[in-house]
Short mmCIF file of all heavy atoms in Angstrom, two decimals:
data_model
loop_
_atom_site.label_atom_id
_atom_site.label_comp_id
_atom_site.label_asym_id
_atom_site.label_seq_id
_atom_site.Cartn_x
_atom_site.Cartn_y
_atom_site.Cartn_z
N LYS A 5 36.17 -1.91 6.58
CA LYS A 5 36.86 -0.93 5.72
C LYS A 5 38.11 -1.55 5.09
O LYS A 5 38.50 -1.19 3.99
CB LYS A 5 37.30 0.25 6.61
CG LYS A 5 36.34 1.41 6.55
CD LYS A 5 36.93 2.57 7.30
CE LYS A 5 35.97 3.74 7.25
NZ LYS A 5 36.49 4.85 8.06
N LEU A 9 36.79 -9.25 7.24
CA LEU A 9 37.35 -9.20 8.59
C LEU A 9 38.27 -10.40 8.83
O LEU A 9 37.80 -11.53 9.00
CB LEU A 9 36.21 -9.18 9.59
CG LEU A 9 36.60 -9.37 11.05
CD1 LEU A 9 37.61 -8.32 11.50
CD2 LEU A 9 35.38 -9.35 11.92
N GLU A 17 44.87 -7.86 19.62
CA GLU A 17 44.45 -7.46 20.97
C GLU A 17 43.01 -6.92 21.01
O GLU A 17 42.56 -6.47 22.04
CB GLU A 17 45.41 -6.37 21.50
CG GLU A 17 46.87 -6.80 21.56
CD GLU A 17 47.06 -8.06 22.42
OE1 GLU A 17 46.37 -8.19 23.45
OE2 GLU A 17 47.87 -8.90 22.04
N SER A 18 42.39 -6.94 19.88
CA SER A 18 41.03 -6.37 19.83
C SER A 18 40.00 -7.26 20.51
O SER A 18 40.28 -8.43 20.81
CB SER A 18 40.62 -6.12 18.38
OG SER A 18 40.51 -7.36 17.73
N ARG A 19 38.80 -6.71 20.71
CA ARG A 19 37.72 -7.49 21.35
C ARG A 19 37.27 -8.64 20.47
O ARG A 19 36.93 -9.70 20.96
CB ARG A 19 36.53 -6.56 21.65
CG ARG A 19 36.72 -5.76 22.94
CD ARG A 19 35.56 -4.84 23.16
NE ARG A 19 34.28 -5.54 23.16
CZ ARG A 19 33.10 -4.94 23.00
NH1 ARG A 19 33.04 -3.64 22.84
NH2 ARG A 19 31.99 -5.63 23.06
N VAL A 20 37.29 -8.37 19.17
CA VAL A 20 36.88 -9.43 18.23
C VAL A 20 37.89 -10.59 18.31
O VAL A 20 37.49 -11.76 18.37
CB VAL A 20 36.79 -8.86 16.78
CG1 VAL A 20 36.48 -9.98 15.80
CG2 VAL A 20 35.72 -7.78 16.70
N ALA A 23 37.36 -12.66 21.32
CA ALA A 23 36.22 -13.58 21.19
C ALA A 23 36.65 -14.84 20.45
O ALA A 23 36.28 -15.95 20.81
CB ALA A 23 35.08 -12.90 20.44
N LEU A 27 36.97 -18.77 21.54
CA LEU A 27 36.42 -19.85 20.70
C LEU A 27 37.49 -20.93 20.46
O LEU A 27 37.20 -22.13 20.53
CB LEU A 27 35.93 -19.26 19.37
CG LEU A 27 35.39 -20.26 18.36
CD1 LEU A 27 34.17 -20.99 18.90
CD2 LEU A 27 35.02 -19.55 17.04
N ASN A 30 37.92 -23.13 23.43
CA ASN A 30 36.82 -24.09 23.56
C ASN A 30 36.91 -25.19 22.52
O ASN A 30 36.61 -26.34 22.80
CB ASN A 30 35.48 -23.35 23.42
CG ASN A 30 35.08 -22.69 24.70
OD1 ASN A 30 35.30 -23.21 25.79
ND2 ASN A 30 34.49 -21.49 24.60
N ASN A 35 35.91 -28.50 24.44
CA ASN A 35 34.79 -28.06 25.26
C ASN A 35 34.46 -29.10 26.35
O ASN A 35 33.32 -29.48 26.54
CB ASN A 35 33.56 -27.76 24.39
CG ASN A 35 32.54 -26.87 25.10
OD1 ASN A 35 32.91 -26.16 26.04
ND2 ASN A 35 31.30 -26.92 24.66
N LEU A 186 30.68 -26.96 14.44
CA LEU A 186 30.55 -25.64 15.04
C LEU A 186 29.43 -24.93 14.29
O LEU A 186 29.48 -24.81 13.06
CB LEU A 186 31.89 -24.90 14.85
CG LEU A 186 32.23 -23.75 15.78
CD1 LEU A 186 32.19 -24.21 17.24
CD2 LEU A 186 33.63 -23.23 15.44
N TYR A 187 28.43 -24.49 15.04
CA TYR A 187 27.24 -23.94 14.37
C TYR A 187 27.20 -22.43 14.54
O TYR A 187 27.29 -21.92 15.66
CB TYR A 187 26.00 -24.59 15.00
CG TYR A 187 24.74 -24.35 14.21
CD1 TYR A 187 24.51 -24.97 13.00
CD2 TYR A 187 23.77 -23.49 14.69
CE1 TYR A 187 23.36 -24.76 12.29
CE2 TYR A 187 22.60 -23.27 13.97
CZ TYR A 187 22.40 -23.91 12.77
OH TYR A 187 21.25 -23.69 12.05
N ALA A 191 23.05 -12.69 14.79
CA ALA A 191 21.99 -11.96 15.50
C ALA A 191 21.00 -11.39 14.49
O ALA A 191 21.40 -10.94 13.42
CB ALA A 191 22.60 -10.83 16.30
N GLY A 192 19.73 -11.44 14.82
CA GLY A 192 18.70 -10.90 13.92
C GLY A 192 18.07 -11.99 13.10
O GLY A 192 17.12 -11.73 12.34
N SER A 193 18.54 -13.21 13.24
CA SER A 193 17.95 -14.32 12.49
C SER A 193 16.50 -14.51 12.95
O SER A 193 16.21 -14.64 14.13
CB SER A 193 18.76 -15.60 12.74
OG SER A 193 18.05 -16.70 12.19
N HIS A 194 15.58 -14.52 11.97
CA HIS A 194 14.16 -14.60 12.29
C HIS A 194 13.65 -16.02 12.29
O HIS A 194 12.73 -16.36 13.01
CB HIS A 194 13.34 -13.81 11.27
CG HIS A 194 13.35 -12.36 11.52
ND1 HIS A 194 12.50 -11.74 12.41
CD2 HIS A 194 14.13 -11.38 11.01
CE1 HIS A 194 12.76 -10.47 12.43
NE2 HIS A 194 13.73 -10.21 11.59
N GLN A 196 13.52 -19.04 13.34
CA GLN A 196 13.90 -19.93 14.43
C GLN A 196 13.52 -21.36 14.12
O GLN A 196 14.21 -22.31 14.52
CB GLN A 196 13.27 -19.45 15.73
CG GLN A 196 13.77 -18.07 16.12
CD GLN A 196 13.38 -17.70 17.54
OE1 GLN A 196 13.04 -18.54 18.34
NE2 GLN A 196 13.45 -16.42 17.84
N ARG A 200 16.02 -24.60 14.18
CA ARG A 200 15.75 -25.84 14.95
C ARG A 200 15.77 -27.08 14.06
O ARG A 200 16.26 -28.13 14.45
CB ARG A 200 14.38 -25.73 15.64
CG ARG A 200 14.42 -24.81 16.85
CD ARG A 200 13.19 -25.00 17.72
NE ARG A 200 13.05 -23.84 18.58
CZ ARG A 200 12.24 -22.82 18.34
NH1 ARG A 200 11.52 -22.80 17.26
NH2 ARG A 200 12.17 -21.81 19.16
N GLN A 203 19.29 -27.98 13.26
CA GLN A 203 19.89 -28.54 14.47
C GLN A 203 19.47 -30.00 14.65
O GLN A 203 20.29 -30.87 14.94
CB GLN A 203 19.43 -27.69 15.67
CG GLN A 203 20.25 -27.87 16.91
CD GLN A 203 21.72 -27.56 16.63
OE1 GLN A 203 22.02 -26.64 15.87
NE2 GLN A 203 22.61 -28.32 17.21
N GLY A 215 29.25 -26.68 19.79
CA GLY A 215 28.57 -25.52 20.35
C GLY A 215 28.24 -24.53 19.25
O GLY A 215 28.48 -24.81 18.07
N ALA A 216 27.70 -23.41 19.65
CA ALA A 216 27.29 -22.39 18.68
C ALA A 216 28.18 -21.17 18.81
O ALA A 216 28.67 -20.85 19.90
CB ALA A 216 25.85 -22.01 18.90
N VAL A 217 28.41 -20.53 17.69
CA VAL A 217 29.10 -19.23 17.67
C VAL A 217 28.02 -18.20 17.39
O VAL A 217 27.35 -18.26 16.35
CB VAL A 217 30.19 -19.18 16.57
CG1 VAL A 217 30.83 -17.81 16.53
CG2 VAL A 217 31.22 -20.26 16.82
N PHE A 218 27.86 -17.27 18.30
CA PHE A 218 26.81 -16.25 18.12
C PHE A 218 27.47 -14.98 17.56
O PHE A 218 28.27 -14.36 18.23
CB PHE A 218 26.12 -15.96 19.44
CG PHE A 218 25.06 -14.94 19.33
CD1 PHE A 218 24.01 -15.06 18.42
CD2 PHE A 218 25.06 -13.81 20.16
CE1 PHE A 218 23.03 -14.11 18.32
CE2 PHE A 218 24.06 -12.86 20.06
CZ PHE A 218 23.07 -13.01 19.15
N ASN A 219 27.11 -14.69 16.34
CA ASN A 219 27.66 -13.52 15.67
C ASN A 219 26.77 -12.34 15.95
O ASN A 219 25.69 -12.19 15.33
CB ASN A 219 27.66 -13.78 14.15
CG ASN A 219 29.05 -13.75 13.60
OD1 ASN A 219 29.89 -12.96 14.05
ND2 ASN A 219 29.29 -14.60 12.61
N SER A 220 27.12 -11.52 16.87
CA SER A 220 26.21 -10.42 17.22
C SER A 220 26.33 -9.23 16.28
O SER A 220 25.64 -8.23 16.45
CB SER A 220 26.43 -9.98 18.68
OG SER A 220 27.78 -9.57 18.82
N GLY A 221 27.17 -9.29 15.30
CA GLY A 221 27.31 -8.18 14.36
C GLY A 221 26.48 -8.36 13.14
O GLY A 221 25.89 -9.35 12.91
N ARG B 246 7.61 -13.45 14.90
CA ARG B 246 8.84 -14.22 14.99
C ARG B 246 9.98 -13.29 15.42
O ARG B 246 10.71 -12.77 14.60
CB ARG B 246 9.17 -14.83 13.63
CG ARG B 246 8.24 -15.98 13.31
CD ARG B 246 8.17 -16.33 11.85
NE ARG B 246 9.42 -16.23 11.13
CZ ARG B 246 9.51 -16.41 9.82
NH1 ARG B 246 8.46 -16.71 9.14
NH2 ARG B 246 10.66 -16.29 9.22
N PRO B 247 10.08 -13.04 16.70
CA PRO B 247 11.10 -12.09 17.15
C PRO B 247 12.49 -12.57 16.79
O PRO B 247 12.78 -13.76 16.90
CB PRO B 247 10.90 -12.04 18.69
CG PRO B 247 10.13 -13.26 19.01
CD PRO B 247 9.35 -13.65 17.81
N PRO B 248 13.35 -11.67 16.31
CA PRO B 248 14.68 -12.09 15.90
C PRO B 248 15.54 -12.45 17.10
O PRO B 248 15.31 -11.97 18.21
CB PRO B 248 15.23 -10.84 15.18
CG PRO B 248 14.45 -9.73 15.73
CD PRO B 248 13.13 -10.25 16.10
N VAL B 249 16.53 -13.32 16.85
CA VAL B 249 17.47 -13.71 17.90
C VAL B 249 18.37 -12.51 18.20
O VAL B 249 18.97 -11.94 17.31
CB VAL B 249 18.32 -14.90 17.43
CG1 VAL B 249 19.35 -15.28 18.47
CG2 VAL B 249 17.43 -16.07 17.09
N ARG B 250 18.40 -12.14 19.47
CA ARG B 250 19.19 -10.94 19.81
C ARG B 250 20.32 -11.27 20.82
O ARG B 250 21.24 -10.47 20.95
CB ARG B 250 18.27 -9.88 20.45
CG ARG B 250 17.29 -9.29 19.47
CD ARG B 250 17.91 -8.15 18.69
NE ARG B 250 16.97 -7.61 17.74
CZ ARG B 250 17.26 -7.38 16.47
NH1 ARG B 250 18.46 -7.64 16.00
NH2 ARG B 250 16.37 -6.87 15.64
N ALA B 251 20.20 -12.37 21.52
CA ALA B 251 21.21 -12.65 22.56
C ALA B 251 21.60 -14.12 22.56
O ALA B 251 20.87 -14.98 22.05
CB ALA B 251 20.62 -12.26 23.93
N ALA B 252 22.79 -14.36 23.14
CA ALA B 252 23.33 -15.72 23.14
C ALA B 252 22.42 -16.70 23.87
O ALA B 252 22.26 -17.85 23.44
CB ALA B 252 24.71 -15.71 23.79
N VAL B 255 19.88 -18.10 21.69
CA VAL B 255 20.41 -19.11 20.79
C VAL B 255 20.45 -20.47 21.53
O VAL B 255 20.06 -21.50 20.97
CB VAL B 255 21.83 -18.72 20.29
CG1 VAL B 255 22.41 -19.83 19.43
CG2 VAL B 255 21.78 -17.44 19.52
N MET B 258 17.05 -21.78 21.87
CA MET B 258 16.49 -22.17 20.58
C MET B 258 17.09 -23.49 20.08
O MET B 258 16.37 -24.37 19.59
CB MET B 258 16.76 -21.05 19.56
CG MET B 258 16.33 -21.31 18.16
SD MET B 258 16.60 -19.86 17.12
CE MET B 258 18.36 -19.87 16.91
N LEU B 259 18.43 -23.64 20.21
CA LEU B 259 19.11 -24.79 19.62
C LEU B 259 19.38 -25.92 20.60
O LEU B 259 19.61 -27.06 20.20
CB LEU B 259 20.42 -24.34 18.99
CG LEU B 259 20.32 -23.26 17.91
CD1 LEU B 259 21.70 -22.85 17.44
CD2 LEU B 259 19.49 -23.75 16.72
N ILE B 261 22.03 -26.12 22.42
CA ILE B 261 23.47 -26.36 22.54
C ILE B 261 24.13 -25.10 23.14
O ILE B 261 23.56 -24.01 23.03
CB ILE B 261 24.13 -26.67 21.16
CG1 ILE B 261 23.81 -25.58 20.15
CG2 ILE B 261 23.68 -28.02 20.65
CD1 ILE B 261 24.60 -25.70 18.84
N PRO B 262 25.28 -25.26 23.79
CA PRO B 262 25.89 -24.08 24.40
C PRO B 262 26.49 -23.13 23.37
O PRO B 262 26.98 -23.57 22.34
CB PRO B 262 26.98 -24.69 25.29
CG PRO B 262 27.32 -25.97 24.64
CD PRO B 262 26.07 -26.48 24.02
N VAL B 263 26.41 -21.84 23.69
CA VAL B 263 27.12 -20.88 22.86
C VAL B 263 28.54 -20.79 23.40
O VAL B 263 28.74 -20.40 24.57
CB VAL B 263 26.43 -19.50 22.91
CG1 VAL B 263 27.27 -18.43 22.24
CG2 VAL B 263 25.07 -19.57 22.23
N ILE B 264 29.50 -21.20 22.58
CA ILE B 264 30.89 -21.23 23.10
C ILE B 264 31.68 -19.98 22.74
O ILE B 264 32.79 -19.80 23.19
CB ILE B 264 31.63 -22.50 22.64
CG1 ILE B 264 31.63 -22.61 21.12
CG2 ILE B 264 31.01 -23.76 23.27
CD1 ILE B 264 32.53 -23.75 20.61
N ALA B 265 31.08 -19.09 21.93
CA ALA B 265 31.72 -17.80 21.66
C ALA B 265 30.67 -16.84 21.14
O ALA B 265 29.79 -17.22 20.38
CB ALA B 265 32.84 -17.98 20.63
N THR B 266 30.82 -15.61 21.64
CA THR B 266 29.97 -14.54 21.10
C THR B 266 30.90 -13.54 20.44
O THR B 266 31.72 -12.91 21.10
CB THR B 266 29.15 -13.87 22.21
OG1 THR B 266 28.31 -14.87 22.81
CG2 THR B 266 28.28 -12.75 21.68
N VAL B 267 30.80 -13.45 19.15
CA VAL B 267 31.67 -12.52 18.40
C VAL B 267 30.98 -11.17 18.32
O VAL B 267 29.87 -11.07 17.80
CB VAL B 267 31.94 -13.07 16.98
CG1 VAL B 267 32.87 -12.13 16.22
CG2 VAL B 267 32.54 -14.47 17.07
N PRO B 268 31.63 -10.11 18.82
CA PRO B 268 30.96 -8.80 18.77
C PRO B 268 30.94 -8.26 17.34
O PRO B 268 31.71 -8.71 16.48
CB PRO B 268 31.83 -7.94 19.67
CG PRO B 268 33.17 -8.60 19.70
CD PRO B 268 32.92 -10.05 19.48
N ARG B 269 30.06 -7.31 17.13
CA ARG B 269 29.96 -6.66 15.84
C ARG B 269 31.28 -6.02 15.50
O ARG B 269 31.87 -5.34 16.37
CB ARG B 269 28.85 -5.60 15.93
CG ARG B 269 28.53 -4.93 14.64
CD ARG B 269 27.52 -3.81 14.91
NE ARG B 269 27.29 -3.04 13.71
CZ ARG B 269 26.41 -3.37 12.78
NH1 ARG B 269 25.66 -4.41 12.94
NH2 ARG B 269 26.28 -2.63 11.70
N ALA B 270 31.76 -6.22 14.26
CA ALA B 270 33.08 -5.69 13.89
C ALA B 270 32.97 -4.20 13.60
O ALA B 270 32.45 -3.80 12.56
CB ALA B 270 33.59 -6.42 12.66
N ARG B 272 34.99 -0.16 14.42
CA ARG B 272 36.32 0.40 14.69
C ARG B 272 36.73 0.19 16.13
O ARG B 272 37.86 -0.06 16.45
CB ARG B 272 36.29 1.91 14.35
CG ARG B 272 37.65 2.53 14.28
CD ARG B 272 37.55 3.96 13.86
NE ARG B 272 37.20 4.09 12.44
CZ ARG B 272 37.02 5.23 11.83
NH1 ARG B 272 37.11 6.36 12.50
NH2 ARG B 272 36.74 5.27 10.55
N THR B 274 35.58 -2.22 18.32
CA THR B 274 35.82 -3.63 18.72
C THR B 274 37.07 -4.21 18.03
O THR B 274 37.60 -5.21 18.47
CB THR B 274 34.62 -4.51 18.40
OG1 THR B 274 34.34 -4.44 17.00
CG2 THR B 274 33.41 -4.15 19.22
N LEU B 275 37.50 -3.55 16.95
CA LEU B 275 38.70 -4.04 16.27
C LEU B 275 39.96 -3.33 16.74
O LEU B 275 41.07 -3.67 16.37
CB LEU B 275 38.55 -3.84 14.74
CG LEU B 275 37.56 -4.80 14.06
CD1 LEU B 275 37.33 -4.37 12.62
CD2 LEU B 275 38.08 -6.22 14.11
N LYS B 276 39.76 -2.27 17.58
CA LYS B 276 40.91 -1.48 18.06
C LYS B 276 41.61 -2.21 19.20
O LYS B 276 40.96 -2.86 20.02
CB LYS B 276 40.42 -0.12 18.53
CG LYS B 276 41.45 0.97 18.41
CD LYS B 276 40.84 2.35 18.60
CE LYS B 276 40.64 2.67 20.04
NZ LYS B 276 40.13 4.01 20.29
N THR B 277 42.93 -2.01 19.25
CA THR B 277 43.69 -2.58 20.36
C THR B 277 43.53 -1.66 21.57
O THR B 277 43.81 -0.48 21.46
CB THR B 277 45.18 -2.68 19.98
OG1 THR B 277 45.28 -3.46 18.81
CG2 THR B 277 45.99 -3.32 21.11
N PRO B 278 43.03 -2.15 22.70
CA PRO B 278 42.84 -1.28 23.86
C PRO B 278 44.18 -0.81 24.42
O PRO B 278 45.17 -1.50 24.35
CB PRO B 278 42.11 -2.18 24.87
CG PRO B 278 42.21 -3.56 24.35
CD PRO B 278 42.67 -3.54 22.96
#
Side-chain angles (χ1 to χ4, degrees):
Chain A
K5 262 187 180 176
L9 169 58
E17 301 303 322
S18 66
R19 278 177 57 197
V20 176
L27 177 61
N30 279 323
N35 199 22
L186 203 55
Y187 193 72
S193 171
H194 280 277
Q196 297 192 18
R200 284 195 198 98
Q203 197 57 37
V217 177
F218 180 55
N219 241 325
S220 58
Chain B
R246 287 161 37 184
V249 177
R250 292 275 179 228
V255 176
M258 177 176 74
L259 302 177
I261 55 171
V263 171
I264 56 172
T266 299
V267 180
R269 185 185 174 85
R272 193 175 287 178
T274 58
L275 287 171
K276 207 167 81 176
T277 303

